[in-house]
Amino acid sequence: MIVARRQAERLSVLDRPNSYIGKTVPRPNLDRLMQGRGLYVSDIELPRMAHVVFLRSPHAHAKIVAIDASAAKRMPGVIAIVTGRELAAVITPWVGVLSHLKRLKSAPQYAMAIDRVCWQGEAVAAVVATSRALAEDAGEQVLVDYEELEAVTDMQTALDPKTPVIHPALGDNLAFERLHDTGNVDQAFEAADEVVEAEFVFGRHTGVTLEPRSVVADWNSAEGRLTIYQGTQAPHMVQNIAALHLGLREQQVRVVCKDVGGSFGIKVHIYADEMATYALSKLLRRPIKFVADRVESFNTDIHARDHRCKGRIGVRRDGAITAFKIDDLTGIGPYSMYPRTSAIEANQVVNLVGGPYTTKSYRARARVVFQNKNVMCQYRAVGHPIACAVTEGLVDLAAIRIGMDPVQIRKRNLIADDAYPCASPTGLRFEQLSHQACLTKLVEMMDYAGLRAEQATLRRTNIYRGIGVASFIEVTNPSAAFYGVGGARISSQDGVAVRLDAQGSVICQTSITEQGQGSEALTAQIVATVLGVAMERVRVILGDTDNTPYGGGTWASRGAGIGGEAALQAAKVLRKNILDVAAAILQSNPAELDIAGNAVVNAGDREPRIELSELARIVYFRPDTLPPGIQPELMATRHFVPREYPFAFTNGVQASWLEVDPETGFIRLLKHWVVEDCGTIINPQLVDEQIRGGVVQGLGAALFEKCVYDERGQLTNANMADYLVPMAGEMPDIDVGHVVSPTRESELGAKGAGEAGTAGAAAAVINAVNDALGPFGTLVTEIPLTPQVILTALGRL
Amino acid sequence: MKASAFDYARVASIHHALEMLSLHGEQAKLLSGGQSLLPAMNLRLVSPQILIDIGDLAELRGIAVDSDVLRIGALTRHVELLTSHLVAAHAPLLSDAVKHIAHPAIRNRGTLGGSLAHADPAAELPACMLALNATIIACGRDGERRIAAAEFFQGIYATALRPDELLAAVELPIARQNSVDFFQEFARRHGDYALAGVAARASVASGGFSKLRMAFFAIADRPVLANAAAKLLNVAITPELIADASVAFGNELNPPEDQQASSSMRRHLASVLFRRCVEALLARGRLYGGAG
Ligand SMILES: Cc1cc2nc3c(=O)[nH]c(=O)nc-3n(C[C@H](O)[C@H](O)[C@H](O)COP(=O)(O)OP(=O)(O)OC[C@H]3O[C@@H](n4cnc5c(N)ncnc54)[C@H](O)[C@@H]3O)c2cc1C
C-alpha cells in the first residue's frame, strides 16, 4: 500500500495502540446472518397482517376504461380490492423534480394509476388478501378494460414532432436538458492534430437485489402512528415522505429497517407501490405486507443507464488532449423518480466526462426524455460508468489514432498528483487525488509490459487477447449540494450517539444504515478504537427512526466518510467525559489518563487504574460517592457533514485482460485489476470486497445485463433466465491495490469506496475488447458486449 | 409468483401412476425432479390440478449394463449421470454433457426422464440421446413402447409420449472400441441453456470416419442430426472438406430467433461448432489409437 505523503503528519485519535483502523476484523453481524438469524422484511409477521398483490398493467401506455373487481371480491381470503382512484383519497401524488436541476419537469405520479397507465408494470389495483397466493388467485379475476395508446419507446424519436407527448400538460417529452461549455472548445479542437468521434451505447439495466423490495406497513389507529418495516437505504427520507403524502406529522411515522438483502441504489427511492402499501394500511387499519416477486422487480425496480452518447476528442500528435465534447441522450420512463429525480444520471455524465484529465476545453449537452418504459433512476455509480466509458473510450481512440500506447497517453494527460487542489472543466473541486500514483501502481501490479508481450505472441497463433485501461473519478461523501439545495428533504448529515452502559459496554446508535457493506462493522471499529475498548463491547444500533439520530443513511458512498466521522467525534466526546469522571474518582488529571483494554490506564506507564465497568458502576449506582459538582455524561452525540467540499472525490484506475473468440464473439475475462484511493481505509477487507462487488456489477453491464424492451414497450426478459446477471463462473480474479490520500475535511480521512468498482469496470472491458480486435480494424462501442454485438461488428453474420 | 392451488399424490407403483394419469388426463402432471415443472407452475404458465409424484418408484431408478446396452432409469438425477462409472465408461458423452446442465443445486434434483419428457429444444440430454441413437422406453397401460430417439422429439416441449404414458428408461448402445464422443455448447454463462450445441459420437478409423452422428441442439424446435455429416464418411478428411460440410450444414438449418441470438447467428455458431466438433473427433480418434 502506498501511503500518500500527508499521512505521516497526521497522527490522530485513530493511531492508538490496539487500533482497529486499517485492520480486517470480522463483521459483528456475520454470525447472525450466517446462522440464518437475520430479520428481513419478509420474515416479519404481525397479528392481522394481510398481503397485497398489485395488479399491473400489461400495456406500456393505455387508458383504463373500467375495472371490474366484483368476481374477485368474492374469492376466498380476499379482504379488499382497491383501485388507484380509491387510494388517492388517502395519499397525495408527487412530482419528482428538484429546483437545482433547472427546468427539470415531470408529471404528478399517483400511488396507483388512476385513469391511465404509462408503463408495463404500473399498478392499477391492489388485491389485499390473507395470503399472497390467495391474493394472486383473486388478482386473476379482476377485469380491467384497457384502451391501448401509442407507446413512446425509442428515446431517439421521443422528441420528434410526430411522437405523441406522454404528458400533454408538459408540452413535450423533454424532461431535462443540460448544456455546459467552458468556452474556446472549437479553437481547442482546431488546435488538435487529430479529432476522433464515436457513439457509445449503454444498455438499460437494473440492480437485481437478492432480496426484492419489501414493506410491511402497520397503521395503528389507536396511536395514530404508522410503522413502516422496509428494506430501505434512507429511513428518515422514507419517514418524511410517507408523512408528507399521508397527511401525518413525521413523528407519526416510524421507519424500521432491519436486515437488507442488497440495495445498490435500488432501495433508496420512493416507489409508487410502496407508497400504496403505506396508504392501504391506513385505509384498511391493519398491517399490510408487500413483497415484490422477481417479475415485479424487473418491471418496477428502477432501471438505470440506457444512454446514447456521442463523443469527440481532440489530440495533438505529442499526445496532449486538447478538448472533449459529448452529446448524451437518455430515456427515463414516464416519470422522474421521487424524490431524487431521474435527471441526476445525465447530469453526472456531463459533470464527470474528462474529469481525470488536465484538458480544460469541454462542451456537453445532455437530454433526458420521457418514454413509456419502467422508471429510471440512480443505481450504483450513477452516471460514472457512462462518463468513464465515453472518456476512456475516446482517450483510447485518440491513442490509436496517433499511435501512442494507452498507458502513455494517460500518463501524459492525467492530472499530476501535486496539482491539487484544482477543479474539473465543469467546476468540480478536487481536494487531493492520485491518478498518476494509481496508474504507476496498476502498471506494476498487472505487469503491463509482460502482458503486451504475451498478447503479441498469442496473436501469432490466432488467439486474440486485449488489455483495457480506464482511469476514473468517483463522487463520494456528498454534502447538501446533491439533493438538499434542490429542496429535497434528504439529509446529508449523519449523527451518532454513543453511551457507556452500566457494565462498561458501549451502545452506539447511528443514522447510517446497513445493507451488507459493513456499516455496522466500521462504526464499531471506529468507536472501539477511539474509546479504547474491545470491539465486542460495542453494540451498534441502526435502521430505526425512533432510535437513531437523524441522518441520511447509506448511499452515494457516504456511510463511512460521513457516518464514520460522526462516530469518531461522538466517541471522542464520550472518551473525554469518561476521563473527566475517572480523574475525579482517581483524584488524577484527565490528561494523565487514557483508556485501553476496557480500562482507564495511566497515559504514561499504561498501568490500569480503573475498569470501565467499575467506573460505570460508580456513575450509575453510587453517584453519591463522586465529588460534589460532578455530573457525569456517559452519553455523547455528534453529527457531521462535509462543508468545505461539496463532494469528496476519489479516484482510481482499472484494467481488464480478456480474450475474444472472433469466430463466436464470446469474450472470456481473464483478469481484472483495480487501484483506487478512498482515503483512510477502515477495514481493508470491506473495502476490497466493495471494490470487487462493484467491479462485478460493472462487468455485468459490460457483458450481460440488459432490460430488453420491444417496440411496444414490453419488457421481454423480466426473469432470471433471460436477464443475465454476472455469475461467478464468468468472473475473473480481481486484484485490488490502494493509494491512500485521506481527506482533510474530517479527522477520519475516509472517502467512499462503494461505487469505484462499478465506475470503471465496463470502460476497461470495452477498451480491452477493442484492443483484442485491433487486428480486425473493428470498433465496438455498445454494451452489453454480447456475442451478437461482436459478431455483427466483425461482419460475420 | 405463487403456484395456484393443486392436489398432490405420491404414487407407489408404475401401475398406480398410470391409473392416476388416465383418471385425471390433461389435469395431471407427473412430477419428477421438479426443476422445469415447478418454476413454470410458480409463474402460472401451467396450472395442473394434480401433481403425480413418481419419486418413490424404484423401478424407474438405476444405471445398468446388459450385454451391449446401457440402461438408465428415468429417475436418474443429473448428478448421478455425472458421477456414474458406468456412464463414464460406456457413454462418456453424457458425463461431458451433464456438466453443462444448469448448476449443482439443479443437477441434484433434475432427472433424465424429466429432461427428455420436457423436451426443451435447447436441452443437452435430448441431443445426446439422438447422437447415441438411444431407445426411449415408454410405459403405458398396454405395456412398454420402444421409441427411437429420432422419433421421440417432435417439437418444442413435444414428444412421442402419449398423455397416459410415462417415460421409464432409456437404452443406449455402449461405446465401442474405436468410438469417440464429443460435446460442446456455446452458452452465455456456465449453466445457461445453450445458444447452440452439439453432441456427437463417431467411429474413427484410418484418420477418417466410418460412423458420425452429430446431434445439434438449440438451433431448431428439437435436436437435429447433421445430414452434412454424411459428406465426411469414409473419405479422406481435408480442411476444405470440413469447411464445405460445415457450410452445407449451415444451409440445412433455419434456426429460431430469440433475445440471445438471431437466426443467422445461430446458424453461424452451429457451423463453427460443426467444424470444431469434426476436428476434435478426429484428434481424439488419433489420440485413442484409431490408426491415422
Ligand atoms: C435455473 C435452471 C437452469 C436450468 N438449466 C438447464 C440447462 O442448461 N440444460 C437443461 O437441459 N436443463 C436445464 N434446466 C432444467 C433441468 O435440467 C430439469 O431438471 C429438466 O429439464 C427436467 O427434469 P425434472 O426431473 O426436473 O422434471 P420435472 O420438472 O419434474 O418435469 C418436467 C416435465 O416432464 C414431465 N415428466 C417428468 N418425468 C416424467 C416421466 N418419467 N415420464 C413422463 N413425463 C415426465 C413432467 O410432467 C413435466 O411436464 C434448468 C433448470 C433450472 C431451474
Side-chain angles (χ1 to χ4, degrees):
Chain A
M1 188 188 296
I2 300 176
V3 176
R5 54 233 144 259
R6 293 180 307 157
Q7 180 80 323
E9 318 157 7
R10 287 172 44 107
L11 267 186
S12 75
V13 289
L14 300 171
D15 302 303
R16 292 163 52 80
N18 305 320
S19 169
Y20 290 102
I21 304 304
K23 299 228 170 79
T24 290
V25 289
R27 317 189 212 172
N29 54 11
L30 215 51
D31 286 344
R32 185 177 82 244
L33 298 174
M34 297 305 288
Q35 292 181 26
R37 296 305 303 267
L39 187 63
Y40 298 88
V41 171
S42 44
D43 295 320
I44 294 173
E45 295 289 337
L46 298 177
R48 295 179 64 249
M49 189 175 83
H51 298 256
V52 61
V53 163
F54 291 100
L55 201 67
R56 297 184 181 276
S57 167
H59 304 294
H61 198 190
K63 246 164 75 179
I64 303 171
V65 180
I67 300 179
D68 176 2
S70 50
K73 280 184 178 161
R74 293 191 297 272
M75 294 284 287
V78 171
I79 292 163
I81 294 177
V82 182
T83 62
R85 194 175 304 282
E86 287 160 345
L87 207 61
V90 190
I91 188 160
T92 57
W94 53 88
V95 182
V97 296
L98 288 171
S99 63
H100 65 313
L101 298 162
K102 295 212 173 43
R103 286 183 300 281
L104 166 62
K105 61 192 191 222
S106 188
Q109 187 181 359
Y110 289 81
M112 290 196 291
I114 296 197
D115 42 25
R116 187 171 63 122
V117 288
C118 287
W119 84 90
Q120 179 220 0
E122 185 172 5
V124 294
V127 182
V128 182
T130 50
S131 78
R132 167 103 197 179
L134 290 173
E136 285 188 22
D137 286 348
E140 289 180 349
Q141 305 301 321
V142 179
L143 304 175
V144 185
D145 186 8
Y146 294 100
E147 182 187 316
E148 245 193 289
L149 302 170
E150 192 182 331
V152 179
T153 54
D154 184 354
M155 63 181 167
Q156 296 183 93
T157 54
L159 299 177
D160 290 0
K162 295 190 303 291
T163 303
V165 174
I166 296 176
H167 304 294
L170 300 182
D172 57 26
N173 288 327
L174 183 67
F176 179 66
E177 180 170 37
R178 174 157 173 221
L179 303 171
H180 185 82
D181 197 332
T182 57
N184 297 324
V185 178
D186 294 329
Q187 294 90 316
F189 275 113
E190 271 158 34
D193 294 316
E194 299 285 351
V195 173
V196 196
E197 286 183 333
E199 183 174 20
F200 299 83
V201 180
F202 301 85
R204 196 180 238 263
H205 60 97
T206 181
V208 197
T209 57
L210 199 52
E211 180 206 27
R213 291 187 295 108
S214 3
V215 180
V216 171
D218 181 13
W219 171 252
N220 183 327
S221 51
E223 273 189 321
R225 273 200 110 199
L226 178 69
T227 304
I228 297 172
Y229 303 89
Q230 183 168 335
T232 174
Q233 300 173 238
H236 283 106
M237 180 194 89
V238 171
Q239 177 192 42
N240 166 264
I241 286 172
L244 180 67
H245 293 279
L246 289 166
L248 303 170
R249 280 170 291 113
E250 277 188 23
Q251 208 192 21
Q252 290 175 279
V253 179
R254 174 181 177 195
V255 179
V256 181
C257 174
K258 299 286 188 186
D259 293 306
V260 182
S263 51
F264 318 119
I266 298 300
K267 296 175 184 167
V268 75
H269 311 292
I270 297 293
Y271 289 87
D273 47 20
E274 292 167 2
M275 291 284 261
T277 307
Y278 316 151
L280 284 167
S281 177
K282 190 148 180 275
L283 183 73
L284 302 173
R285 298 167 159 245
R286 62 193 298 164
I288 307 283
K289 178 184 271 192
F290 164 62
V291 179
D293 69 24
R294 194 52 71 184
V295 178
E296 290 183 291
S297 299
F298 277 113
N299 278 295
T300 63
D301 286 6
I302 56 111
H303 294 174
R305 322 302 187 224
D306 204 8
H307 285 240
R308 301 184 78 92
C309 188
K310 294 197 184 94
R312 175 192 284 200
I313 188 170
V315 65
R316 287 204 321 248
R317 229 172 297 289
D318 65 3
I321 299 170
T322 62
F324 285 102
K325 185 182 159 203
I326 63 154
D327 189 1
D328 183 42
L329 176 65
T330 180
I332 54 160
Y335 298 101
S336 169
M337 270 302 267
Y338 188 57
R340 290 167 194 248
T341 85
S342 306
I344 299 281
E345 180 144 280
N347 202 50
Q348 293 277 57
V349 173
V350 171
N351 280 342
L352 298 173
V353 164
Y357 297 101
T358 50
T359 316
K360 287 277 158 264
S361 303
Y362 174 45
R363 182 182 297 148
R365 174 170 79 156
R367 285 170 305 156
V368 177
V369 300
F370 293 114
Q371 344 152 265
N372 294 113
K373 293 183 181 173
N374 182 24
V375 286
M376 291 233 304
C377 203
Q378 284 77 287
Y379 160 59
R380 195 174 198 172
V382 191
H384 292 67
I386 294 148
C388 183
V390 169
T391 304
E392 295 301 279
L394 290 172
V395 168
D396 265 24
L397 286 176
I400 291 167
R401 181 67 67 84
I402 60 167
M404 192 177 244
D405 179 87
V407 167
Q408 208 45 48
I409 195 169
R410 286 178 173 80
K411 280 204 172 127
R412 173 81 173 69
N413 290 282
L414 285 168
I415 301 172
D417 294 351
D418 59 4
Y420 300 93
C422 63
S424 79
T426 44
L428 305 171
R429 289 165 56 219
F430 304 132
E431 184 194 1
Q432 175 66 54
L433 303 181
S434 55
H435 287 296
Q436 298 283 354
C438 286
L439 184 61
T440 303
K441 179 155 189 174
L442 178 91
V443 164
E444 186 187 298
M445 269 169 68
M446 67 191 286
D447 182 16
Y448 183 75
L451 285 184
R452 282 282 176 221
E454 191 178 335
Q455 175 186 41
T457 312
L458 288 170
R459 267 192 195 166
R460 280 180 235 128
T461 59
N462 292 329
I463 291 173
Y464 295 92
R465 293 196 173 173
I467 301 170
V469 177
S471 290
F472 63 88
I473 51 175
E474 187 205 342
V475 177
T476 78
N477 294 0
S479 70
F482 228 12
Y483 296 114
V485 295
R489 301 207 156 210
I490 301 170
S491 180
S492 52
Q493 61 87 60
D494 274 281
V496 171
V498 282
R499 76 167 194 261
L500 194 72
D501 77 7
Q503 287 194 323
S505 293
V506 181
I507 308 277
C508 169
Q509 294 147 298
T510 175
S511 59
I512 64 170
T513 52
E514 169 84 87
Q515 300 97 35
Q517 54 279 84
S519 304
E520 235 183 283
L522 70 90
T523 304
Q525 281 178 265
I526 293 167
V527 169
T529 300
V530 175
L531 277 180
V533 303
M535 244 181 98
E536 307 79 73
R537 289 257 183 134
V538 181
R539 206 166 86 75
V540 178
I541 295 170
L542 31 65
D544 184 346
T545 54
D546 266 9
N547 286 309
T548 65
Y550 200 93
T554 300
W555 39 273
S557 300
R558 66 188 297 286
I562 297 177
E565 176 69 5
L568 183 152
Q569 295 301 338
K572 263 174 76 176
V573 177
L574 179 59
R575 181 167 173 274
K576 176 183 177 300
N577 293 355
I578 292 171
L579 292 180
D580 284 348
V581 182
I585 296 172
L586 300 169
Q587 297 176 338
S588 170
N589 179 338
E592 285 160 13
L593 298 171
D594 192 5
I595 308 175
N598 308 317
V600 176
V601 300
N602 284 332
D605 62 12
R606 315 304 291 172
E607 239 348 89
R609 297 292 306 276
I610 180 171
E611 290 287 324
L612 287 180
S613 55
E614 176 58 10
L615 178 141
R617 188 193 62 83
I618 295 170
V619 167
Y620 289 118
F621 307 117
R622 293 305 305 275
D624 54 313
T625 64
L626 292 172
I630 296 263
Q631 175 53 59
E633 285 296 345
L634 295 190
M635 179 157 183
T637 305
R638 282 294 178 272
H639 293 82
F640 177 71
V641 66
R643 297 290 298 275
E644 200 178 320
Y645 283 88
F647 309 100
F649 272 92
T650 71
N651 68 281
V653 59
Q654 303 196 16
S656 167
W657 170 236
L658 51 74
E659 184 173 315
V660 184
D661 180 342
E663 247 183 0
T664 63
F666 276 71
I667 296 167
R668 199 153 59 93
L669 302 175
L670 301 171
K671 183 100 190 202
H672 201 94
W673 296 265
V674 183
V675 179
E676 67 81 52
D677 182 347
C678 64
T680 304
I681 293 174
I682 300 163
N683 185 326
Q685 189 174 37
L686 286 178
V687 170
D688 286 1
E689 296 315 325
Q690 278 296 305
I691 299 294
R692 289 199 179 92
V695 165
V696 168
Q697 277 181 313
L699 296 176
L703 298 187
F704 300 113
E705 296 187 60
K706 185 174 182 183
C707 300
V708 181
Y709 276 91
D710 69 12
E711 60 294 341
R712 293 177 60 206
Q714 297 285 320
L715 179 58
T716 59
N717 62 339
N719 64 71
M720 296 292 281
D722 297 319
Y723 181 97
L724 307 183
V725 295
M727 289 176 71
E730 283 59 52
M731 292 300 105
D733 282 349
I734 302 165
D735 278 3
V736 184
H738 305 278
V739 171
V740 177
S741 319
T743 170
R744 300 193 145 202
E745 274 238 50
S746 68
E747 229 176 305
L748 183 61
K751 309 177 197 173
E755 299 166 281
T758 313
V765 169
I766 303 169
N767 285 352
V769 165
N770 284 319
D771 185 49
L773 295 180
F776 299 91
T778 50
L779 177 67
V780 195
T781 52
E782 173 180 350
I783 59 169
L785 289 153
T786 63
Q788 180 93 40
V789 167
I790 303 281
L791 288 178
T792 305
L794 285 168
R796 304 240 165 165
L797 295 181
Chain B
M1 280 205 282
K2 306 280 182 208
S4 355
F6 56 87
D7 291 329
Y8 169 90
R10 194 167 175 94
V11 290
S13 67
I14 293 187
H15 175 75
H16 186 193
L18 296 173
E19 225 170 37
M20 296 288 283
L21 268 184
S22 66
L23 185 66
H24 295 281
E26 301 272 277
Q27 319 282 23
K29 277 274 177 202
L30 293 175
L31 173 65
S32 188
Q35 298 303 295
S36 294
L37 182 56
L38 297 187
M41 286 172 61
N42 284 341
L43 287 163
R44 298 197 175 197
L45 298 172
V46 287
S47 300
Q49 294 195 341
I50 179 163
L51 288 190
I52 304 169
D53 184 345
I54 55 176
D56 268 353
L57 304 185
E59 308 97 292
L60 302 185
R61 293 197 182 280
I63 302 174
V65 177
D66 186 3
S67 66
D68 56 356
V69 169
L70 177 69
R71 185 186 163 102
I72 309 177
L75 283 180
T76 305
R77 299 197 191 274
H78 302 332
V79 64
E80 294 173 275
L81 292 178
L82 194 62
T83 53
S84 159
H85 298 302
L86 287 178
V87 171
H90 301 297
L93 183 66
L94 289 181
S95 321
D96 276 356
V98 170
K99 292 175 198 145
H100 297 267
I101 303 179
H103 306 278
I106 294 148
R107 298 202 288 257
N108 286 343
R109 296 207 145 264
T111 65
L112 172 65
S115 175
L116 302 184
H118 189 56
D120 189 310
E124 289 80 2
L125 294 174
C128 292
M129 295 303 127
L130 194 57
L132 297 177
N133 206 4
T135 302
I136 284 139
I137 299 175
C139 243
R141 298 217 291 175
D142 306 332
E144 265 188 21
R145 229 163 35 103
R146 301 173 61 83
I147 310 165
E151 268 84 60
F152 185 78
F153 302 104
Q154 303 198 333
I156 301 175
Y157 309 135
T159 69
L161 276 183
R162 299 190 188 119
D164 57 356
E165 281 180 328
L166 64 75
L167 195 162
V170 301
E171 285 182 3
L172 309 167
I174 64 173
R176 296 189 187 283
Q177 197 111 82
N178 62 345
S179 96
V180 281
D181 289 357
F182 179 78
F183 186 91
Q184 194 180 355
E185 66 176 45
F186 296 133
R188 294 291 306 282
R189 301 171 305 180
H190 286 85
D192 281 348
Y193 281 105
L195 306 185
V198 64
R201 171 167 285 184
S203 297
V204 180
S206 320
F209 295 106
S210 58
K211 279 192 190 148
L212 178 57
R213 278 175 80 91
M214 300 167 74
F216 284 81
F217 57 100
I219 43 90
D221 67 349
R222 69 196 82 177
V224 291
L225 287 172
N227 296 325
K231 293 180 187 292
L232 302 174
L233 283 181
N234 304 313
V235 291
I237 306 286
T238 61
E240 293 71 36
L241 192 59
I242 299 177
D244 284 355
S246 76
V247 171
F249 170 60
N251 292 336
E252 287 172 27
L253 302 175
N254 184 17
E257 168 147 1
D258 65 17
Q259 289 181 353
Q260 305 294 353
S262 64
S263 179
S264 59
M265 166 147 162
R266 284 207 154 81
R267 183 180 298 114
H268 171 82
L269 291 179
S271 303
V272 172
L273 267 179
F274 184 99
R275 202 196 68 229
R276 291 186 182 179
C277 175
V278 170
E279 287 167 357
L281 287 168
L282 282 176
R284 283 185 191 181
R286 280 187 210 111
L287 196 67
Y288 298 149

